[in-house]
Amino acid sequence: MANHQSSIKRIRQTNARRLHNRYYAKTARNAVRVLRATQDKAEAQALYPKVCSMLDRLAKKNIIHKNKAGNLKSKLAKHVNGLG
């Protein structure tokens, strides 16, 4: 167990950040899943900018890698353009 005050605080901070990052990453994954499952083009076009901004925000804060965000956005754009 940690003996120093700074290491105890560091553990507390790390846990708080981990929970925060997990929540937002999971929310983004669910949004991507919903967009992929959408078959209506108008609905997908409305969802796409929201999901993209969510992914950009996660990449900016280093919750996900910037290339992963780019790859997801590219695949989602391809999906939206290929609809009906």
Side-chain angles (χ1 to χ4, degrees), residues 14-66:
T14 303
N15 284 334
R17 284 195 189 105
R18 185 180 64 84
L19 290 175
H20 179 267
N21 291 344
R22 270 180 59 192
Y23 171 78
Y24 285 103
K26 183 66 172 178
T27 304
R29 275 201 306 274
N30 286 338
V32 168
R33 197 173 294 127
V34 167
L35 182 55
R36 280 197 182 127
T38 304
Q39 294 302 318
D40 181 35
K41 186 163 182 137
E43 190 180 334
Q45 283 177 329
L47 275 175
Y48 180 70
K50 294 175 187 170
V51 174
C52 281
S53 72
M54 199 181 285
L55 292 171
D56 286 335
R57 222 173 302 128
L58 291 179
K60 181 179 171 186
K61 294 179 183 282
N62 290 322
I63 295 172
I64 62 173
H65 196 274
K66 63 178 183 166

